[in-house]
Amino acid sequence: MTAEVVLEVIDLWKRFRRGEVYDSLRDLVPAMVSRLFGRRPPSDALGQNEFWALQAVSFQVCRGEVLGIIGPNGAGKTTLLKILARILKPTRGLIRIRGRLRALIEIAAGFHPDLTGRENIYLNGTILGMSRREIQKRFDEIVEFAGLGPFLDTPVKRYSSGMQARLGFAIAAHLEPEILLVDEVLAVGDAEFQRRCLGKMQSVAGQGRTVLFVSHNMAAVQALCNRAMILRGGRIQFLGPVQEAIAAYLPQAEEADASADLSQSRLPNMQPVIQKIQWLDSRGQPTVHLLAGSEATLRIWYRLPQPGPNPVFGVRVDSQLGQPLFVLQSAIQHGPLDGLPSEGVVECRVPSLPLIPGVYILSANCNLAGSPVDWLEHALTFWVEPADVFGTGRLPTANQGPFLVPAVWSFSPLTSAGKVS
């Protein structure tokens, strides 16, 4: 059965004029006359001080789908949402929307600052075309989700930005639009609020409604979205599975060299103790591509500022999204490094790399006398490739969690008494 398309964008373009500054009335009047009576450039051409914020944007979104929209600042993400929400008018193009649409584009979008939180709930519901009875039916859920009960009869202009975000999201998510547009709401509020927002958007999508989610939080995009779109310079650079979109969007390290230039990774006021970092595969060859479940060795070249007792070397491995996964540290897994020369190489061998296929980022540090002397953040990017780790003929995939855990499965029949034989 073909999925129902509820949002369709066809060849969308949006042109803006850069701000102009006039030092005198003598400069302003000719500019206004020229704008009123001058020749307008063709629809495909740009006039003076104009630029395209969106160019040839076309896509479809189906009912119940959650589409992530990612890209650098100035890529056109918020402009796209504002056009879909009818806040801005496109220069040209066609948009088809089937259903009631609600946009949470700015924290206080749709709020009247002099009205109370209670009054703004009814105002927003009315704007969405809902009756007072429909709003009242969901009123208690909105208030409970927002957690603003004691301030419900306070004017919204006295709310903090976090309080406004909580109320705005609660209204947008609970008044049941068929299509919900959300722009960076997770950037405001504490961790608990962000977690509840994410859960609510998943619930909204599970009810057959559609969500377009703009965010710089790749972990949230990965957890929430089915597909993702990359916007760069107002154009769609990629539209497809969310994992592929994130991999295409995040910066990649140079694959040709198995070691990294560490000068850009060193934190301020640190000494260049760690000279070089390199992964070796199971054959002892330098690489940035390791096999899942295989042996791997991390080699660190160092130069201590002066001989000292028991230096401690450590590394942290993060996911591509910046989530810490595990730490390897010489003091914990080896003990004191007595008699270490002032210059040399230390190695850490991992008998079976416990990571699923994907992209990972390594940070490293060195401590002397309990204090860090060198700290390299995001020093080396490396790739883990699929392998038949457990000899079953099946390869682990990226949606099975970050770790490969060896386990032994066994099966036994039950006795007639229902016990394990």
Side-chain angles (χ1 to χ4, degrees), residues 3-58:
E4 179 188 359
V5 175
V6 296
L7 175 63
E8 186 174 13
V9 176
I10 303 172
D11 196 29
L12 186 67
W13 295 68
K14 179 59 181 176
R15 176 169 44 204
F16 284 120
R17 178 183 293 273
R18 292 184 178 89
E20 296 173 317
V21 177
Y22 302 103
D23 295 325
S24 67
L25 188 62
R26 183 185 61 187
D27 297 327
L28 176 60
V29 171
M32 293 179 64
V33 171
S34 175
R35 189 174 301 177
L36 286 171
F37 300 106
R39 290 187 60 189
R40 181 68 192 164
S43 59
D44 287 337
L46 292 176
Q48 186 177 10
N49 295 325
E50 291 184 332
F51 68 97
W52 289 116
L54 294 173
Q55 303 179 68
V57 172
S58 299

Side-chain angles (χ1 to χ4, degrees), residues 191-202:
E192 173 61 18
F193 170 70
Q194 294 179 18
R195 183 190 65 78
R196 294 176 68 191
C197 286
L198 196 62
K200 186 60 182 177
M201 283 191 284
Q202 289 171 327

Side-chain angles (χ1 to χ4, degrees), residues 136-211:
Q136 188 63 47
K137 181 181 177 181
R138 297 167 181 84
F139 185 87
D140 291 341
E141 295 178 42
I142 294 171
V143 174
E144 182 181 359
F145 186 92
L148 298 174
F151 308 98
L152 197 58
D153 294 308
T154 301
V156 164
K157 65 183 178 183
R158 297 197 176 100
Y159 284 14
S160 68
S161 60
M163 293 167 69
Q164 292 181 15
R166 284 155 60 186
L167 181 61
F169 184 85
I171 293 172
H174 287 82
L175 292 182
E176 297 191 355
E178 283 83 11
I179 304 169
L180 178 62
L181 310 181
V182 183
D183 186 6
E184 286 294 4
V185 68
L186 296 183
V188 182
D190 56 25
E192 173 61 18
F193 170 70
Q194 294 179 18
R195 183 190 65 78
R196 294 176 68 191
C197 286
L198 196 62
K200 186 60 182 177
M201 283 191 284
Q202 289 171 327
S203 173
V204 165
Q207 296 168 8
R209 288 180 276 163
T210 303
V211 180

Side-chain angles (χ1 to χ4, degrees), residues 353-369:
L353 193 66
L355 297 172
I356 62 166
V359 183
Y360 299 91
I361 303 167
L362 184 144
S363 302
N365 64 79
C366 178
N367 290 3
L368 285 176

